[in-house]
Structure formats: structure tokens, C-alpha cells
mmCIF file of all heavy atoms in Angstrom:
data_model
loop_
_atom_site.group_PDB
_atom_site.id
_atom_site.type_symbol
_atom_site.label_atom_id
_atom_site.label_comp_id
_atom_site.label_asym_id
_atom_site.label_seq_id
_atom_site.Cartn_x
_atom_site.Cartn_y
_atom_site.Cartn_z
ATOM 1 N N GLU A 133 -67.725 -175.765 -13.451
ATOM 2 C CA GLU A 133 -66.689 -174.804 -13.810
ATOM 3 C C GLU A 133 -65.310 -175.428 -13.659
ATOM 4 O O GLU A 133 -64.443 -175.297 -14.543
ATOM 5 C CB GLU A 133 -66.815 -173.570 -12.924
ATOM 6 C CG GLU A 133 -65.806 -172.476 -13.220
ATOM 7 C CD GLU A 133 -65.961 -171.311 -12.258
ATOM 8 O OE1 GLU A 133 -66.007 -171.539 -11.019
ATOM 9 O OE2 GLU A 133 -66.023 -170.164 -12.729
ATOM 10 N N LYS A 134 -65.096 -176.139 -12.540
ATOM 11 C CA LYS A 134 -63.806 -176.776 -12.302
ATOM 12 C C LYS A 134 -63.566 -177.917 -13.288
ATOM 13 O O LYS A 134 -62.453 -178.095 -13.793
ATOM 14 C CB LYS A 134 -63.742 -177.291 -10.865
ATOM 15 C CG LYS A 134 -62.362 -177.804 -10.464
ATOM 16 C CD LYS A 134 -62.330 -178.272 -9.012
ATOM 17 C CE LYS A 134 -62.452 -177.119 -8.052
ATOM 18 N NZ LYS A 134 -62.347 -177.545 -6.626
ATOM 19 N N TRP A 135 -64.602 -178.698 -13.564
ATOM 20 C CA TRP A 135 -64.472 -179.794 -14.545
ATOM 21 C C TRP A 135 -63.989 -179.247 -15.882
ATOM 22 O O TRP A 135 -63.069 -179.782 -16.501
ATOM 23 C CB TRP A 135 -65.828 -180.497 -14.725
ATOM 24 C CG TRP A 135 -65.787 -181.626 -15.731
ATOM 25 C CD1 TRP A 135 -65.511 -182.932 -15.472
ATOM 26 C CD2 TRP A 135 -66.025 -181.536 -17.135
ATOM 27 N NE1 TRP A 135 -65.549 -183.666 -16.631
ATOM 28 C CE2 TRP A 135 -65.860 -182.832 -17.678
ATOM 29 C CE3 TRP A 135 -66.348 -180.483 -18.002
ATOM 30 C CZ2 TRP A 135 -66.020 -183.111 -19.037
ATOM 31 C CZ3 TRP A 135 -66.504 -180.749 -19.363
ATOM 32 C CH2 TRP A 135 -66.345 -182.048 -19.865
ATOM 33 N N ASN A 136 -64.615 -178.170 -16.318
ATOM 34 C CA ASN A 136 -64.270 -177.591 -17.613
ATOM 35 C C ASN A 136 -62.828 -177.097 -17.637
ATOM 36 O O ASN A 136 -62.086 -177.315 -18.604
ATOM 37 C CB ASN A 136 -65.229 -176.442 -17.921
ATOM 38 C CG ASN A 136 -65.369 -176.186 -19.405
ATOM 39 O OD1 ASN A 136 -65.439 -177.114 -20.202
ATOM 40 N ND2 ASN A 136 -65.406 -174.922 -19.782
ATOM 41 N N GLU A 137 -62.411 -176.455 -16.560
ATOM 42 C CA GLU A 137 -61.048 -175.935 -16.464
ATOM 43 C C GLU A 137 -60.027 -177.066 -16.521
ATOM 44 O O GLU A 137 -58.994 -176.973 -17.213
ATOM 45 C CB GLU A 137 -60.888 -175.147 -15.166
ATOM 46 C CG GLU A 137 -59.498 -174.562 -14.963
ATOM 47 C CD GLU A 137 -59.335 -173.909 -13.602
ATOM 48 O OE1 GLU A 137 -60.241 -174.032 -12.748
ATOM 49 O OE2 GLU A 137 -58.276 -173.279 -13.373
ATOM 50 N N ILE A 138 -60.296 -178.148 -15.800
ATOM 51 C CA ILE A 138 -59.352 -179.264 -15.743
ATOM 52 C C ILE A 138 -59.232 -179.957 -17.096
ATOM 53 O O ILE A 138 -58.128 -180.342 -17.513
ATOM 54 C CB ILE A 138 -59.777 -180.254 -14.643
ATOM 55 C CG1 ILE A 138 -59.512 -179.631 -13.274
ATOM 56 C CG2 ILE A 138 -59.036 -181.584 -14.769
ATOM 57 C CD1 ILE A 138 -60.087 -180.389 -12.112
ATOM 58 N N GLN A 139 -60.357 -180.124 -17.801
ATOM 59 C CA GLN A 139 -60.272 -180.768 -19.119
ATOM 60 C C GLN A 139 -59.385 -179.942 -20.061
ATOM 61 O O GLN A 139 -58.574 -180.488 -20.817
ATOM 62 C CB GLN A 139 -61.658 -180.944 -19.756
ATOM 63 C CG GLN A 139 -62.724 -181.566 -18.879
ATOM 64 C CD GLN A 139 -62.291 -182.749 -18.054
ATOM 65 O OE1 GLN A 139 -61.789 -183.744 -18.587
ATOM 66 N NE2 GLN A 139 -62.495 -182.666 -16.733
ATOM 67 N N LYS A 140 -59.510 -178.627 -19.988
ATOM 68 C CA LYS A 140 -58.694 -177.764 -20.848
ATOM 69 C C LYS A 140 -57.211 -177.893 -20.515
ATOM 70 O O LYS A 140 -56.361 -177.883 -21.409
ATOM 71 C CB LYS A 140 -59.160 -176.311 -20.720
ATOM 72 C CG LYS A 140 -60.530 -176.059 -21.334
ATOM 73 C CD LYS A 140 -60.985 -174.621 -21.158
ATOM 74 C CE LYS A 140 -62.358 -174.388 -21.785
ATOM 75 N NZ LYS A 140 -62.833 -172.989 -21.585
ATOM 76 N N LYS A 141 -56.884 -178.021 -19.236
ATOM 77 C CA LYS A 141 -55.485 -178.223 -18.845
ATOM 78 C C LYS A 141 -54.968 -179.565 -19.385
ATOM 79 O O LYS A 141 -53.806 -179.674 -19.800
ATOM 80 C CB LYS A 141 -55.341 -178.177 -17.324
ATOM 81 C CG LYS A 141 -55.635 -176.833 -16.689
ATOM 82 C CD LYS A 141 -54.687 -175.753 -17.155
ATOM 83 C CE LYS A 141 -53.273 -175.955 -16.665
ATOM 84 N NZ LYS A 141 -52.379 -174.831 -17.020
ATOM 85 N N CYS A 142 -55.820 -180.562 -19.374
ATOM 86 C CA CYS A 142 -55.426 -181.864 -19.911
ATOM 87 C C CYS A 142 -55.207 -181.782 -21.423
ATOM 88 O O CYS A 142 -54.265 -182.387 -21.949
ATOM 89 C CB CYS A 142 -56.484 -182.913 -19.584
ATOM 90 S SG CYS A 142 -56.588 -183.323 -17.818
ATOM 91 N N PHE A 143 -56.064 -181.038 -22.123
ATOM 92 C CA PHE A 143 -55.884 -180.866 -23.565
ATOM 93 C C PHE A 143 -54.545 -180.185 -23.860
ATOM 94 O O PHE A 143 -53.840 -180.547 -24.810
ATOM 95 C CB PHE A 143 -57.016 -180.020 -24.159
ATOM 96 C CG PHE A 143 -58.392 -180.627 -24.040
ATOM 97 C CD1 PHE A 143 -59.529 -179.830 -24.111
ATOM 98 C CD2 PHE A 143 -58.558 -181.993 -23.849
ATOM 99 C CE1 PHE A 143 -60.794 -180.373 -24.012
ATOM 100 C CE2 PHE A 143 -59.828 -182.555 -23.746
ATOM 101 C CZ PHE A 143 -60.944 -181.735 -23.825
ATOM 102 N N GLU A 144 -54.193 -179.189 -23.040
ATOM 103 C CA GLU A 144 -52.914 -178.481 -23.215
ATOM 104 C C GLU A 144 -51.739 -179.450 -23.077
ATOM 105 O O GLU A 144 -50.790 -179.416 -23.860
ATOM 106 C CB GLU A 144 -52.775 -177.379 -22.158
ATOM 107 C CG GLU A 144 -53.682 -176.186 -22.351
ATOM 108 C CD GLU A 144 -53.551 -175.196 -21.194
ATOM 109 O OE1 GLU A 144 -52.592 -175.343 -20.383
ATOM 110 O OE2 GLU A 144 -54.399 -174.295 -21.089
ATOM 111 N N LEU A 145 -51.819 -180.293 -22.060
ATOM 112 C CA LEU A 145 -50.734 -181.247 -21.817
ATOM 113 C C LEU A 145 -50.615 -182.237 -22.966
ATOM 114 O O LEU A 145 -49.502 -182.590 -23.378
ATOM 115 C CB LEU A 145 -50.984 -181.992 -20.503
ATOM 116 C CG LEU A 145 -49.936 -183.025 -20.099
ATOM 117 C CD1 LEU A 145 -48.561 -182.380 -19.945
ATOM 118 C CD2 LEU A 145 -50.341 -183.734 -18.804
ATOM 119 N N LYS A 146 -51.734 -182.685 -23.484
ATOM 120 C CA LYS A 146 -51.716 -183.624 -24.609
ATOM 121 C C LYS A 146 -50.940 -183.060 -25.790
ATOM 122 O O LYS A 146 -50.150 -183.770 -26.440
ATOM 123 C CB LYS A 146 -53.144 -183.953 -25.040
ATOM 124 C CG LYS A 146 -53.222 -184.945 -26.202
ATOM 125 C CD LYS A 146 -54.674 -185.231 -26.567
ATOM 126 C CE LYS A 146 -54.746 -186.231 -27.713
ATOM 127 N NZ LYS A 146 -56.152 -186.536 -28.078
ATOM 128 N N GLU A 147 -51.133 -181.783 -26.061
ATOM 129 C CA GLU A 147 -50.418 -181.140 -27.174
ATOM 130 C C GLU A 147 -48.917 -181.108 -26.927
ATOM 131 O O GLU A 147 -48.117 -181.169 -27.864
ATOM 132 C CB GLU A 147 -50.950 -179.713 -27.370
ATOM 133 C CG GLU A 147 -52.378 -179.643 -27.879
ATOM 134 C CD GLU A 147 -52.541 -180.305 -29.237
ATOM 135 O OE1 GLU A 147 -51.704 -180.057 -30.119
ATOM 136 O OE2 GLU A 147 -53.496 -181.094 -29.399
ATOM 137 N N LYS A 148 -48.513 -181.024 -25.666
ATOM 138 C CA LYS A 148 -47.088 -180.909 -25.331
ATOM 139 C C LYS A 148 -46.353 -182.239 -25.367
ATOM 140 O O LYS A 148 -45.194 -182.305 -25.781
ATOM 141 C CB LYS A 148 -46.922 -180.290 -23.939
ATOM 142 C CG LYS A 148 -47.381 -178.853 -23.814
ATOM 143 C CD LYS A 148 -47.254 -178.384 -22.369
ATOM 144 C CE LYS A 148 -47.774 -176.968 -22.182
ATOM 145 N NZ LYS A 148 -47.722 -176.545 -20.755
ATOM 146 N N VAL A 149 -47.001 -183.301 -24.905
ATOM 147 C CA VAL A 149 -46.259 -184.554 -24.687
ATOM 148 C C VAL A 149 -46.551 -185.634 -25.718
ATOM 149 O O VAL A 149 -45.889 -186.680 -25.728
ATOM 150 C CB VAL A 149 -46.511 -185.107 -23.269
ATOM 151 C CG1 VAL A 149 -46.126 -184.060 -22.222
ATOM 152 C CG2 VAL A 149 -47.964 -185.545 -23.075
ATOM 153 N N GLY A 150 -47.513 -185.429 -26.575
ATOM 154 C CA GLY A 150 -47.750 -186.340 -27.683
ATOM 155 C C GLY A 150 -48.006 -187.783 -27.268
ATOM 156 O O GLY A 150 -48.969 -188.088 -26.567
ATOM 157 N N GLY A 151 -47.109 -188.689 -27.670
ATOM 158 C CA GLY A 151 -47.297 -190.115 -27.456
ATOM 159 C C GLY A 151 -47.206 -190.574 -26.024
ATOM 160 O O GLY A 151 -47.472 -191.751 -25.741
ATOM 161 N N ARG A 152 -46.843 -189.679 -25.112
ATOM 162 C CA ARG A 152 -46.796 -190.044 -23.687
ATOM 163 C C ARG A 152 -48.140 -189.780 -22.991
ATOM 164 O O ARG A 152 -48.223 -189.771 -21.775
ATOM 165 C CB ARG A 152 -45.679 -189.279 -22.972
ATOM 166 C CG ARG A 152 -44.292 -189.700 -23.410
ATOM 167 C CD ARG A 152 -43.195 -189.064 -22.567
ATOM 168 N NE ARG A 152 -42.955 -187.676 -22.919
ATOM 169 C CZ ARG A 152 -43.097 -186.645 -22.101
ATOM 170 N NH1 ARG A 152 -43.509 -186.847 -20.857
ATOM 171 N NH2 ARG A 152 -42.831 -185.419 -22.490
ATOM 172 N N PHE A 153 -49.172 -189.588 -23.788
ATOM 173 C CA PHE A 153 -50.503 -189.218 -23.277
ATOM 174 C C PHE A 153 -51.534 -190.198 -23.820
ATOM 175 O O PHE A 153 -51.577 -190.477 -25.010
ATOM 176 C CB PHE A 153 -50.823 -187.797 -23.752
ATOM 177 C CG PHE A 153 -52.043 -187.162 -23.141
ATOM 178 C CD1 PHE A 153 -51.910 -186.230 -22.129
ATOM 179 C CD2 PHE A 153 -53.312 -187.468 -23.610
ATOM 180 C CE1 PHE A 153 -53.027 -185.612 -21.585
ATOM 181 C CE2 PHE A 153 -54.432 -186.856 -23.068
ATOM 182 C CZ PHE A 153 -54.291 -185.924 -22.046
ATOM 183 N N LEU A 154 -52.361 -190.739 -22.922
ATOM 184 C CA LEU A 154 -53.427 -191.664 -23.325
ATOM 185 C C LEU A 154 -54.757 -191.188 -22.771
ATOM 186 O O LEU A 154 -54.883 -190.946 -21.570
ATOM 187 C CB LEU A 154 -53.137 -193.077 -22.800
ATOM 188 C CG LEU A 154 -54.188 -194.149 -23.137
ATOM 189 C CD1 LEU A 154 -54.142 -194.471 -24.632
ATOM 190 C CD2 LEU A 154 -53.962 -195.409 -22.316
ATOM 191 N N SER A 155 -55.757 -191.065 -23.632
ATOM 192 C CA SER A 155 -57.092 -190.649 -23.208
ATOM 193 C C SER A 155 -57.966 -191.879 -22.982
ATOM 194 O O SER A 155 -58.025 -192.779 -23.837
ATOM 195 C CB SER A 155 -57.740 -189.757 -24.277
ATOM 196 O OG SER A 155 -56.987 -188.575 -24.463
ATOM 197 N N VAL A 156 -58.639 -191.910 -21.836
ATOM 198 C CA VAL A 156 -59.503 -193.037 -21.474
ATOM 199 C C VAL A 156 -60.803 -192.485 -20.907
ATOM 200 O O VAL A 156 -60.776 -191.682 -19.970
ATOM 201 C CB VAL A 156 -58.831 -193.944 -20.419
ATOM 202 C CG1 VAL A 156 -59.782 -195.064 -19.986
ATOM 203 C CG2 VAL A 156 -57.529 -194.524 -20.950
ATOM 204 N N SER A 157 -61.934 -192.910 -21.443
ATOM 205 C CA SER A 157 -63.210 -192.463 -20.882
ATOM 206 C C SER A 157 -63.650 -193.407 -19.771
ATOM 207 O O SER A 157 -63.435 -194.628 -19.844
ATOM 208 C CB SER A 157 -64.291 -192.401 -21.966
ATOM 209 O OG SER A 157 -64.734 -193.698 -22.327
ATOM 210 N N TYR A 158 -64.261 -192.844 -18.756
ATOM 211 C CA TYR A 158 -64.801 -193.651 -17.658
ATOM 212 C C TYR A 158 -65.837 -194.626 -18.199
ATOM 213 O O TYR A 158 -65.875 -195.806 -17.803
ATOM 214 C CB TYR A 158 -65.432 -192.729 -16.616
ATOM 215 C CG TYR A 158 -66.224 -193.457 -15.560
ATOM 216 C CD1 TYR A 158 -65.584 -194.152 -14.531
ATOM 217 C CD2 TYR A 158 -67.626 -193.461 -15.591
ATOM 218 C CE1 TYR A 158 -66.307 -194.822 -13.557
ATOM 219 C CE2 TYR A 158 -68.360 -194.127 -14.615
ATOM 220 C CZ TYR A 158 -67.696 -194.812 -13.610
ATOM 221 O OH TYR A 158 -68.418 -195.477 -12.655
ATOM 222 N N GLU A 159 -66.658 -194.152 -19.123
ATOM 223 C CA GLU A 159 -67.706 -194.995 -19.676
ATOM 224 C C GLU A 159 -67.114 -196.192 -20.427
ATOM 225 O O GLU A 159 -67.628 -197.316 -20.334
ATOM 226 C CB GLU A 159 -68.602 -194.174 -20.615
ATOM 227 C CG GLU A 159 -69.399 -193.087 -19.921
ATOM 228 C CD GLU A 159 -68.626 -191.811 -19.616
ATOM 229 O OE1 GLU A 159 -67.463 -191.684 -20.077
ATOM 230 O OE2 GLU A 159 -69.172 -190.933 -18.920
ATOM 231 N N GLY A 160 -65.999 -195.966 -21.132
ATOM 232 C CA GLY A 160 -65.335 -197.069 -21.818
ATOM 233 C C GLY A 160 -64.725 -198.058 -20.840
ATOM 234 O O GLY A 160 -64.748 -199.272 -21.067
ATOM 235 N N LEU A 161 -64.179 -197.526 -19.731
ATOM 236 C CA LEU A 161 -63.561 -198.386 -18.729
ATOM 237 C C LEU A 161 -64.576 -199.339 -18.100
ATOM 238 O O LEU A 161 -64.283 -200.519 -17.897
ATOM 239 C CB LEU A 161 -62.919 -197.521 -17.640
ATOM 240 C CG LEU A 161 -62.317 -198.259 -16.438
ATOM 241 C CD1 LEU A 161 -61.168 -199.166 -16.874
ATOM 242 C CD2 LEU A 161 -61.823 -197.262 -15.393
ATOM 243 N N ILE A 162 -65.774 -198.844 -17.812
ATOM 244 C CA ILE A 162 -66.745 -199.697 -17.117
ATOM 245 C C ILE A 162 -67.557 -200.587 -18.058
ATOM 246 O O ILE A 162 -68.029 -201.649 -17.643
ATOM 247 C CB ILE A 162 -67.694 -198.878 -16.216
ATOM 248 C CG1 ILE A 162 -68.563 -197.918 -17.036
ATOM 249 C CG2 ILE A 162 -66.913 -198.136 -15.146
ATOM 250 C CD1 ILE A 162 -69.653 -197.232 -16.220
ATOM 251 N N THR A 163 -67.716 -200.171 -19.318
ATOM 252 C CA THR A 163 -68.501 -200.995 -20.248
ATOM 253 C C THR A 163 -67.634 -201.991 -21.019
ATOM 254 O O THR A 163 -68.119 -203.035 -21.444
ATOM 255 C CB THR A 163 -69.276 -200.123 -21.250
ATOM 256 O OG1 THR A 163 -68.361 -199.266 -21.948
ATOM 257 C CG2 THR A 163 -70.316 -199.265 -20.524
ATOM 258 N N HIS A 164 -66.356 -201.679 -21.194
ATOM 259 C CA HIS A 164 -65.428 -202.583 -21.876
ATOM 260 C C HIS A 164 -64.121 -202.656 -21.071
ATOM 261 O O HIS A 164 -63.064 -202.223 -21.533
ATOM 262 C CB HIS A 164 -65.139 -202.099 -23.292
ATOM 263 C CG HIS A 164 -66.358 -202.040 -24.169
ATOM 264 N ND1 HIS A 164 -67.127 -200.914 -24.267
ATOM 265 C CD2 HIS A 164 -66.946 -202.987 -24.961
ATOM 266 C CE1 HIS A 164 -68.140 -201.151 -25.092
ATOM 267 N NE2 HIS A 164 -68.049 -202.399 -25.529
ATOM 268 N N PRO A 165 -64.199 -203.174 -19.838
ATOM 269 C CA PRO A 165 -63.041 -203.121 -18.948
ATOM 270 C C PRO A 165 -61.793 -203.840 -19.466
ATOM 271 O O PRO A 165 -60.705 -203.267 -19.436
ATOM 272 C CB PRO A 165 -63.554 -203.744 -17.650
ATOM 273 C CG PRO A 165 -64.761 -204.521 -18.036
ATOM 274 C CD PRO A 165 -65.368 -203.796 -19.186
ATOM 275 N N GLU A 166 -61.942 -205.069 -19.933
ATOM 276 C CA GLU A 166 -60.745 -205.800 -20.365
ATOM 277 C C GLU A 166 -60.085 -205.129 -21.560
ATOM 278 O O GLU A 166 -58.862 -204.933 -21.583
ATOM 279 C CB GLU A 166 -61.086 -207.248 -20.711
ATOM 280 C CG GLU A 166 -59.837 -208.056 -21.094
ATOM 281 C CD GLU A 166 -60.091 -209.547 -21.173
ATOM 282 O OE1 GLU A 166 -61.168 -210.015 -20.757
ATOM 283 O OE2 GLU A 166 -59.183 -210.261 -21.661
ATOM 284 N N GLU A 167 -60.880 -204.738 -22.535
ATOM 285 C CA GLU A 167 -60.337 -204.052 -23.712
ATOM 286 C C GLU A 167 -59.617 -202.763 -23.312
ATOM 287 O O GLU A 167 -58.521 -202.452 -23.813
ATOM 288 C CB GLU A 167 -61.484 -203.736 -24.676
ATOM 289 C CG GLU A 167 -61.078 -202.942 -25.903
ATOM 290 C CD GLU A 167 -62.279 -202.553 -26.751
ATOM 291 O OE1 GLU A 167 -63.295 -203.302 -26.742
ATOM 292 O OE2 GLU A 167 -62.216 -201.487 -27.400
ATOM 293 N N THR A 168 -60.209 -202.018 -22.394
ATOM 294 C CA THR A 168 -59.619 -200.751 -21.961
ATOM 295 C C THR A 168 -58.343 -200.977 -21.157
ATOM 296 O O THR A 168 -57.340 -200.275 -21.347
ATOM 297 C CB THR A 168 -60.634 -199.954 -21.117
ATOM 298 O OG1 THR A 168 -61.823 -199.749 -21.881
ATOM 299 C CG2 THR A 168 -60.049 -198.599 -20.715
ATOM 300 N N ILE A 169 -58.360 -201.968 -20.270
ATOM 301 C CA ILE A 169 -57.182 -202.238 -19.444
ATOM 302 C C ILE A 169 -56.030 -202.767 -20.293
ATOM 303 O O ILE A 169 -54.864 -202.414 -20.071
ATOM 304 C CB ILE A 169 -57.529 -203.226 -18.312
ATOM 305 C CG1 ILE A 169 -58.581 -202.603 -17.384
ATOM 306 C CG2 ILE A 169 -56.284 -203.572 -17.498
ATOM 307 C CD1 ILE A 169 -59.252 -203.609 -16.465
ATOM 308 N N VAL A 170 -56.339 -203.585 -21.285
ATOM 309 C CA VAL A 170 -55.303 -204.075 -22.211
ATOM 310 C C VAL A 170 -54.658 -202.893 -22.936
ATOM 311 O O VAL A 170 -53.430 -202.832 -23.103
ATOM 312 C CB VAL A 170 -55.897 -205.078 -23.222
ATOM 313 C CG1 VAL A 170 -54.918 -205.335 -24.366
ATOM 314 C CG2 VAL A 170 -56.245 -206.388 -22.533
ATOM 315 N N ARG A 171 -55.490 -201.944 -23.350
ATOM 316 C CA ARG A 171 -54.967 -200.750 -24.047
ATOM 317 C C ARG A 171 -54.075 -199.930 -23.123
ATOM 318 O O ARG A 171 -53.018 -199.438 -23.537
ATOM 319 C CB ARG A 171 -56.151 -199.902 -24.544
ATOM 320 C CG ARG A 171 -55.742 -198.679 -25.360
ATOM 321 C CD ARG A 171 -56.918 -198.143 -26.150
ATOM 322 N NE ARG A 171 -57.980 -197.633 -25.329
ATOM 323 C CZ ARG A 171 -58.127 -196.333 -25.006
ATOM 324 N NH1 ARG A 171 -57.255 -195.431 -25.471
ATOM 325 N NH2 ARG A 171 -59.130 -195.929 -24.266
ATOM 326 N N ILE A 172 -54.467 -199.798 -21.861
ATOM 327 C CA ILE A 172 -53.655 -199.053 -20.905
ATOM 328 C C ILE A 172 -52.328 -199.774 -20.654
ATOM 329 O O ILE A 172 -51.269 -199.145 -20.605
ATOM 330 C CB ILE A 172 -54.424 -198.852 -19.585
ATOM 331 C CG1 ILE A 172 -55.618 -197.919 -19.818
ATOM 332 C CG2 ILE A 172 -53.510 -198.273 -18.506
ATOM 333 C CD1 ILE A 172 -56.560 -197.824 -18.633
ATOM 334 N N CYS A 173 -52.397 -201.087 -20.482
ATOM 335 C CA CYS A 173 -51.171 -201.870 -20.267
ATOM 336 C C CYS A 173 -50.216 -201.713 -21.443
ATOM 337 O O CYS A 173 -48.999 -201.557 -21.258
ATOM 338 C CB CYS A 173 -51.510 -203.344 -20.056
ATOM 339 S SG CYS A 173 -52.199 -203.722 -18.427
ATOM 340 N N SER A 174 -50.740 -201.752 -22.646
ATOM 341 C CA SER A 174 -49.902 -201.580 -23.833
ATOM 342 C C SER A 174 -49.222 -200.216 -23.815
ATOM 343 O O SER A 174 -48.027 -200.093 -24.110
ATOM 344 C CB SER A 174 -50.756 -201.733 -25.095
ATOM 345 O OG SER A 174 -49.988 -201.509 -26.255
ATOM 346 N N PHE A 175 -49.969 -199.196 -23.442
ATOM 347 C CA PHE A 175 -49.426 -197.840 -23.350
ATOM 348 C C PHE A 175 -48.295 -197.765 -22.330
ATOM 349 O O PHE A 175 -47.288 -197.075 -22.544
ATOM 350 C CB PHE A 175 -50.558 -196.885 -22.976
ATOM 351 C CG PHE A 175 -50.131 -195.491 -22.611
ATOM 352 C CD1 PHE A 175 -49.620 -194.625 -23.564
ATOM 353 C CD2 PHE A 175 -50.254 -195.040 -21.303
ATOM 354 C CE1 PHE A 175 -49.226 -193.329 -23.226
ATOM 355 C CE2 PHE A 175 -49.873 -193.752 -20.958
ATOM 356 C CZ PHE A 175 -49.360 -192.898 -21.923
#
């Protein structure tokens, strides 16, 4: 229940701040760490 609520709050924030928001999946971080970290650094 809490997980679902928090994701919705994050979706709301994404709509408000646009390009100041970056979505990253945990699964992407652990399976493609360098690619994901490079993307975060660029952001």
C-alpha cells in the first residue's frame, strides 16, 4: 500500500518539474551499472 502511494507521489512530481526529474530502475542499476551511472552523471 505504501509502495503504491509513494510511486504516485513521484509521478505527480515528475509532471511538475519536467527535465529536473530522472527515472531509474533498481533492476537497470544492478544489471547495467556503468550505463546507468553515466546517465545519472549526465543528468
Side-chain angles (χ1 to χ4, degrees):
E133 181 182 50
K134 188 178 290 183
W135 179 90
N136 205 41
E137 180 186 8
I138 288 170
Q139 311 317 304
K140 290 178 180 178
K141 294 298 292 185
C142 291
F143 297 158
E144 289 176 12
L145 180 59
K146 181 180 181 179
E147 292 299 314
K148 294 176 183 177
V149 303
R152 292 187 283 119
F153 190 102
L154 179 70
S155 298
V156 176
S157 74
Y158 170 76
E159 294 80 8
L161 175 63
I162 64 172
T163 56
H164 299 91
E166 183 168 350
E167 176 185 331
T168 303
I169 297 165
V170 167
R171 184 163 65 96
I172 293 171
C173 285
S174 177
F175 170 69

